[in-house]
Amino acid sequence: PVIFLSSVSDYDIVVQALNSGANDYITKPFNKEELLARIKLHISLKKSQDIIRKQNEELRQASLFNYNIIDNAGEGIAIYDKELRYKVWNRALVNLTGISSEDVVGKTAVEVFPFITETGIDKLLIQSMNNDERVVSPVHQFVVPANNKSGWVRSVFVPNYDSNGEINGVIAVVSDVTDLLQKENALQSQSKFL
């Protein structure tokens, strides 16, 4: 910390000193106890600022780490708020659906995938959030109206909690089971001929 100690008490000079980076300005004659108290205060403030900076950097690193885990997961991960608007749409879901996260985040699940009302997926999302429970969807087909991309998925829905332990939405883990179903169908077709 920088503390100016001067016999000049002109207001403009004090403001100029503080604007140039000084943490404090004390005029002469000064009281020794006041000077020591101000020094201790500024040292304490500096230590607090350093701790806050360090904690902010650790929080930024943890947030980046979590983002990387979610975005690089092999399964689709979507996070919804309480109104079932998408907050997160990871890379696996982009690859599965052909829809970018920019086209999804902020929209409701029904806006993006109108078919979920027919399959009951919207009710499963609400059930997970309202009943504070893990809900597994049946295997169901999806069709992306914008690009006609389709496939079969199974989803697991779990409540998402805030730092106070309150439910603030739902996390969905979406597994693409299209290849598995195609292989099962091929095996069933082959077994009919045996």
Side-chain angles (χ1 to χ4, degrees):
V2 176
I3 300 175
F4 276 101
L5 185 60
S6 173
S7 60
V8 179
S9 61
D10 180 82
Y11 177 77
D12 291 333
I13 300 289
V14 172
V15 169
Q16 184 180 1
L18 294 172
N19 284 336
S20 67
N23 297 96
D24 208 344
Y25 192 100
I26 300 173
T27 57
K28 294 180 183 176
F30 65 91
N31 178 294
K32 181 179 173 183
E33 289 79 22
E34 177 187 358
L35 177 60
L36 290 174
R38 287 180 185 235
I39 290 171
K40 286 179 184 177
L41 170 69
H42 288 292
I43 289 172
S44 176
L45 287 172
K46 172 70 170 113
K47 286 179 181 177
S48 296
Q49 289 170 343
D50 290 345
I51 289 169
I52 290 169
R53 259 190 228 99
K54 182 180 179 209
Q55 289 173 338
N56 283 339
E57 178 58 21
E58 289 169 355
L59 183 60
R60 191 186 73 73
Q61 289 295 328
S63 180
L64 182 61
F65 177 76
N66 289 335
Y67 170 81
N68 284 328
I69 288 173
I70 290 169
D71 199 48
N72 292 299
E75 298 292 324
I77 298 176
I79 302 176
Y80 305 85
D81 66 15
K82 280 189 164 187
E83 285 75 39
L84 299 181
R85 285 186 307 260
Y86 290 101
K87 292 172 58 180
V88 173
W89 183 259
N90 79 340
R91 191 179 321 191
L93 287 173
V94 172
N95 294 336
L96 177 65
T97 64
I99 304 175
S100 71
S101 60
E102 293 81 13
D103 291 333
V104 172
V105 172
K107 295 180 181 173
T108 66
V110 174
E111 283 179 275
V112 179
F113 300 109
F115 69 84
I116 70 169
T117 56
E118 297 164 19
T119 59
I121 299 302
D122 59 332
K123 290 177 181 52
L124 297 178
L125 286 162
I126 293 166
Q127 177 185 339
S128 176
M129 186 169 48
N130 289 347
N131 297 340
D132 192 11
E133 64 180 297
R134 180 180 187 266
V135 178
V136 179
S137 78
V139 172
H140 62 279
Q141 188 175 24
F142 73 90
V143 178
V144 178
N147 60 20
N148 289 323
K149 199 164 184 180
S150 65
W152 293 84
V153 294
R154 173 178 284 134
S155 302
V156 177
F157 306 115
V158 295
N160 188 28
Y161 302 93
D162 65 18
S163 60
N164 296 319
E166 299 293 320
I167 296 173
N168 67 359
V170 178
I171 299 172
V173 178
V174 181
S175 300
D176 182 1
V177 295
T178 306
D179 289 341
L180 180 63
L181 286 178
Q182 289 172 344
K183 288 174 184 173
E184 284 179 3
N185 289 338
L187 283 174
Q188 287 175 359
S189 294
Q190 288 175 356
S191 68
K192 289 179 186 177
F193 295 113
L194 296 178

